[in-house]
Amino acid sequence: MVSIVVPCYFEEDALVQTIPTLANFLAARVEEGLASPQSEIIFIDDGSADGTWDRICAAHAKSHVIKGIRLAANAGHQNALLAGYEQARGQFIISIDADLQDDVEVMRDMLVDARNGVDIVYGVREARNTDTFFKRFTAEGFYKLMALFGVDLVFNHADYRGMSRRALNALLQYREKSLFLRGLVPKLGFRTSKVFYNRKERSAGETKYPLRKMLAFAIHGITSTSFVPLRIVTLLGLGLFLFSMVVLGWIIWIKFFTERAIPGWASTLIPQTVFSGMQLLCLGIIGEYMAVIFNEVKDRPRFHVAEITDDTDGSANTV
Ligand code: UDP
Ligand code: MG
């Protein structure tokens, strides 16, 4: 049994094409014997205010292969995905975006790999010809920045992946609130493989990740998985301390062993600005981690489900 999990945020236009494409794909795999007839496609409406949920309900009324979860408020891509993961009943679970930018056909390769005992199959974008230069530049910069900070990521793999039931169960044991799935999954272990595809243009609608959100996502990725920035602060502090010892020696030497001890403004002002800048930067970095700890300590639920499509009468059921 296969579960396909699709987070949707304001995807009313994209779903027009996405729902039949995924449904046809799954039907063909059932025919082929790669997926069982009980397989499901779960759409998670991440608090959209457009017709996204209506589209999902209409599709569910026609075919119960299509299921829907409506979150009570926008919980963000990662949490929406998790809501789908928690609801999925399949033995192999595939996550894919709602905009068909990721090649649906390579899901077949994922299923074949799963047959051969692979637990985690990463969908990797080989070319980004259709992305604008800006998107490509920022997105690839994102992966390089992550690597620099020691975050274990699969290059050019986002959230298009297949996971076996046991790998997903392992992932669901991670109870942290600051979810960064693509940094967590490589930590799970298990047998992995990659499937490659060319990233296409969005079928409809706009990207939900403008630069501002991408930057926030990058900071989130680092602070939720890497201690490297704090280590840098420590090393910087140590370096500056050693440097200040040298400067101290120099000042003492000037003061007591030479006639050159003129009160200089430069030697006062420069360290003052440099050091206060450094201090603020370091405080900022520590603050970022404190914010993460704050979030974890509050232990808030990651999302609230408002509705789930019901299998018995085909209509949306308010929980
Ligand atoms: N998404 C979501 N909640 C959000 C933002 C995005 O569920 O708050 C979904 C969105 O509907 C899409 C996927 O996450 O299915 C990826 O978003 P998008 O395609 O806009 O990102 P991009 O491909 O441009 O990086
Ligand atoms: Mg997209």
Side-chain angles (χ1 to χ4, degrees):
M1 179 181 173
V2 175
S3 301
I4 302 177
V5 177
V6 196
C8 312
Y9 186 51
F10 284 88
E11 299 290 8
E12 146 183 69
D13 297 332
L15 286 182
V16 176
Q17 207 188 325
T18 307
I19 293 175
T21 306
L22 289 178
N24 292 340
F25 172 85
L26 193 60
R29 300 297 78 82
V30 171
E31 193 110 312
E32 205 183 346
L34 271 175
S36 79
Q38 293 82 38
S39 296
E40 56 185 5
I41 309 175
I42 304 175
F43 290 92
I44 306 96
D45 175 7
D46 185 14
S48 320
D50 64 348
T52 300
W53 181 244
D54 296 338
R55 286 259 145 79
I56 297 169
C57 288
H60 172 72
K62 275 197 237 154
S63 159
H64 283 199
V65 169
I66 313 272
K67 295 174 185 168
I69 305 172
R70 188 169 72 81
L71 300 188
N74 180 239
H77 179 199
Q78 303 287 291
N79 287 319
L81 200 52
L82 196 78
Y85 274 161
E86 286 188 356
Q87 206 66 36
R89 293 286 158 262
Q91 285 307 308
F92 192 70
I93 301 92
I94 301 175
S95 52
I96 185 170
D97 286 354
D99 53 14
L100 295 181
Q101 281 191 288
D102 306 313
D103 189 355
V104 171
E105 292 304 317
V106 302
M107 272 200 265
R108 191 179 176 281
D109 304 335
M110 291 187 181
L111 292 172
V112 171
D113 280 6
R115 267 276 143 99
N116 294 330
V118 175
D119 285 284
I120 302 171
V121 191
Y122 297 109
V124 176
R125 298 158 180 175
E126 213 161 20
R128 285 174 173 270
N129 303 334
T130 53
D131 276 350
T132 59
F133 171 76
F134 182 71
K135 176 82 192 183
R136 199 161 64 220
F137 182 74
T138 49
E140 291 191 344
F142 168 83
Y143 290 98
K144 289 186 181 136
L145 185 75
M146 290 296 167
L148 203 69
F149 282 108
V151 183
D152 197 7
L153 284 189
V154 178
F155 189 71
N156 265 343
H157 157 73
D159 283 304
Y160 187 23
R161 74 176 76 85
M163 293 177 91
S164 67
R165 173 47 58 188
R166 63 174 183 168
L168 182 65
N169 283 348
L171 181 70
L172 292 177
Q173 284 173 19
Y174 286 66
R175 300 311 303 167
E176 60 205 69
K177 311 290 155 189
S178 311
L179 263 193
F180 188 66
L181 289 172
R182 64 189 82 167
L184 265 185
V185 176
K187 289 199 189 305
L188 296 177
F190 296 108
R191 264 186 77 189
T192 65
S193 70
K194 292 176 187 167
V195 292
F196 296 91
Y197 64 96
N198 291 335
R199 185 168 154 95
K200 296 186 219 160
E201 262 174 272
R202 234 175 190 284
S203 60
E206 303 256 294
T207 173
K208 310 297 180 305
Y209 276 100
L211 184 64
R212 180 179 53 81
K213 264 177 127 178
M214 266 207 282
L215 274 177
F217 194 54
I219 291 177
H220 167 64
I222 294 168
T223 54
S224 69
T225 25
S226 164
F227 293 127
V228 173
L230 285 179
R231 185 77 28 89
I232 294 175
V233 169
T234 312
L235 290 178
L236 213 64
L238 190 69
L240 281 176
F241 175 73
L242 292 177
F243 177 69
S244 68
M245 288 294 110
V246 174
V247 172
L248 195 71
W250 177 67
I251 291 171
I252 291 172
W253 184 71
I254 297 267
K255 180 92 185 145
F256 296 108
F257 302 102
T258 75
E259 301 294 310
R260 290 189 280 134
I262 348 150
W265 62 271
S267 54
T268 322
L269 221 59
I270 294 171
Q272 216 172 52
T273 38
V274 172
F275 292 151
S276 53
M278 294 270 183
Q279 271 171 357
L280 270 184
L281 174 72
C282 296
L283 273 178
I285 295 177
I286 293 166
E288 287 288 336
Y289 282 92
M290 273 195 44
V292 175
I293 297 170
F294 182 53
N295 246 335
E296 298 295 328
V297 166
K298 276 187 295 187
D299 200 25
R300 289 185 181 170
R302 291 178 282 202
F303 52 81
H304 299 290
V305 173
E307 281 174 78
I308 293 183
T309 52
D310 183 42
D311 264 350
T312 47
D313 63 1
S315 66
N317 199 15
T318 306
V319 178

